[in-house]
Amino acid sequence: MSAADAVGLRPDALPEGARVVLKVGSSSLTRPDGGLDLNRIDIISGLLAGMRRRGHDVVLVSSGAVAAGLVPLGLESRPGELRLLQAAASVGQGRLVSRWQTALSAYGAVTAQVLLTAQDVAVRSHYRTVRATFDTLLSMGAVPVVNENDAVATTEFNLGDNDHLAALVSHLVTADVLILFTDVDGMWTARPGTPGARPVRYVGGTGELAGVRVDGDAGALGTGGMATKVQAATIACASGTATIIADADDAPRLLGGRTIPADLGTWFAPTGPHRSSRRLWMAHASMPEGRVLVDAGAARAVTEGKKSLLLPGVVGVDGDFESGSVVEIVGPQRVLARGICRYAAAEIEEVLEARGRGAPAPGDHVAPVVHRDDLAELPRTAGD
């Protein structure tokens, strides 16, 4: 949708007192030689401080730790080996947060470093602790600077790219708006420069993404691309957080005043309400221990009927989990939800085996497999 078409749909300003999560990618924070762009850091720091003065709580998710560690370690490009990535992150994270702290303090803002691991959000008790930490920091006027703790993260157990991390942080702090800065002017119908490609200024739901190509690469120093940003926007919007994807070069025009120009970036409207922290944790932070496969009827009951998942709709189980574990509920076409399963995998398998023989289900299996109160639906993405 063009800027003219978006008039009346796209807000012309951030909501008064809105809580904002802002993510800046590596491509926007580094110079061509791989070093940190101190001018960009200073500009964004001044804008963040100005937003604080206008009454906004602000959280900054900053990429760039690995990039900041390349030059000191004598590395010419982003390494592929995990141990070298961790070494670069270890060296670069301190340099990165130091630059943010210096720049923000010059504008009178207090900086707080928050390094997260998958364990911090996958474990429910840790998740609550992280939420409380953010709430305290923001209530005291600090600007949390967030990154994944790449020095100890593993390829098997990490939070993914920083676009996903920013969407997760927006859940943790119940943000009103998520801003994803990159090196292009928002989302386009095709790669910028492609004949016929045009910017999309407003997205009211994932159904409007049909025909939009978002398969751009991440660049030499980053881990995400436009596809990951659209996925992050979808996740955030499904839980009540509006999202803007914009060019970091346009940050002064976007954040420097009280209005948001209609010709900048792409605005994704919220598609669902803010959800409870428990459901947000289940949907986006928990680590599922298995999968429960369901038929089309059960899929409709869970998504359209907003019902609990019952045993008759279960057609398969994947994984070895105990009662009380978080599992994914998988329909014929996609992953539908996550929830707390009231049966162990072995119990479900017994029922399925008995069904296959035409025998009655063993034991007293009348409880829902996943009760509606313990279920969190997952948003459709552009590829679903």
Side-chain angles (χ1 to χ4, degrees):
M1 183 177 293
S2 68
D5 294 334
V7 173
L9 296 174
R10 173 173 164 153
D12 59 4
L14 294 176
E16 186 175 349
R19 179 169 287 187
V20 179
V21 173
L22 187 148
K23 181 261 179 178
V24 190
S26 296
S27 62
S28 302
L29 286 178
T30 52
R31 305 187 305 264
D33 64 1
L36 287 174
D37 186 340
L38 302 186
N39 185 56
R40 173 64 55 74
I41 290 176
D42 181 71
I43 290 172
I44 292 178
S45 294
L47 294 170
L48 293 179
M51 293 174 69
R52 284 288 314 164
R53 288 192 295 270
R54 295 196 299 273
H56 296 290
D57 289 338
V58 183
V59 179
L60 173 66
V61 177
S62 175
S63 300
V66 171
L70 298 182
V71 173
L73 290 177
L75 298 171
E76 295 183 356
S77 61
R78 183 184 178 91
E81 290 185 60
L82 178 60
R83 64 183 182 88
L84 295 179
L85 283 170
Q86 291 173 323
S90 297
V91 171
Q93 181 60 40
R95 296 167 64 89
L96 177 67
V97 76
S98 176
R99 297 300 189 185
W100 282 117
Q101 186 173 34
T102 299
L104 282 162
S105 64
Y107 294 99
V110 176
T111 305
Q113 178 177 240
V114 180
L115 295 179
L116 297 176
T117 66
Q119 188 77 5
D120 293 327
V121 294
V123 178
R124 175 68 178 144
S125 59
H126 293 197
Y127 183 89
R128 290 197 300 265
T129 299
V130 173
R131 279 179 63 92
T133 298
F134 275 118
D135 284 344
T136 301
L137 289 171
L138 292 172
S139 69
M140 299 180 73
V143 177
V145 178
V146 186
N147 201 355
E148 182 168 8
N149 194 349
D150 292 316
V152 298
T154 66
T155 54
E156 296 83 11
F157 198 55
N158 63 17
L159 291 168
D161 59 83
N162 271 7
D163 296 315
H164 182 265
L165 174 60
L168 181 59
V169 170
S170 73
H171 292 157
L172 282 163
V173 303
T174 317
D176 299 294
V177 180
L178 168 63
I179 300 174
L180 301 172
F181 276 134
T182 182
D183 55 2
V184 294
D185 181 23
M187 183 183 72
W188 288 54
T189 54
R191 185 187 291 272
T194 302
R198 58 182 177 80
V200 178
R201 296 305 181 196
Y202 179 84
V203 177
T206 55
E208 298 179 16
L209 297 177
V212 176
R213 295 182 58 189
V214 290
D215 54 352
D217 61 43
L221 293 173
T223 58
M226 186 54 65
T228 68
K229 289 168 181 58
V230 173
Q231 290 167 2
T234 301
I235 291 171
C237 289
S239 298
T241 300
T243 302
I244 305 171
I245 301 176
D247 192 331
D249 288 342
D250 291 327
R253 289 185 62 202
L254 190 68
L255 303 177
R258 296 186 178 274
T259 60
I260 300 177
D263 62 341
L264 294 185
T266 304
W267 178 282
F268 292 77
T271 55
H274 284 304
R275 293 195 279 179
S276 69
S277 65
R278 183 169 178 270
R279 279 201 162 91
L280 287 175
W281 169 77
M282 277 194 290
H284 303 295
S286 64
M287 298 295 291
E289 297 184 38
R291 297 180 134 200
V292 176
L293 313 181
V294 304
D295 60 25
R300 287 193 298 272
V302 167
T303 56
E304 298 174 17
K306 310 302 180 185
K307 304 293 186 181
S308 300
L309 174 62
L310 305 179
L311 269 172
V314 176
V315 297
V317 63
D318 183 19
D320 183 15
F321 52 85
E322 297 298 324
S323 172
S325 299
V326 175
V327 298
E328 288 184 329
I329 300 172
V330 185
Q333 297 182 333
R334 68 182 183 96
V335 180
L336 306 171
R338 289 181 183 175
I340 298 174
C341 189
R342 298 192 175 190
Y343 293 87
E347 293 178 290
I348 299 177
E349 289 172 347
E350 286 181 3
V351 172
L352 295 176
E353 290 172 3
R355 185 189 300 169
R357 300 192 308 269
D364 183 18
H365 295 88
V366 295
V369 178
V370 179
H371 193 278
R372 189 69 202 178
D373 293 342
D374 297 326
L375 186 149
E377 288 185 51
L378 298 178
R380 285 180 174 272
T381 62
D384 288 338

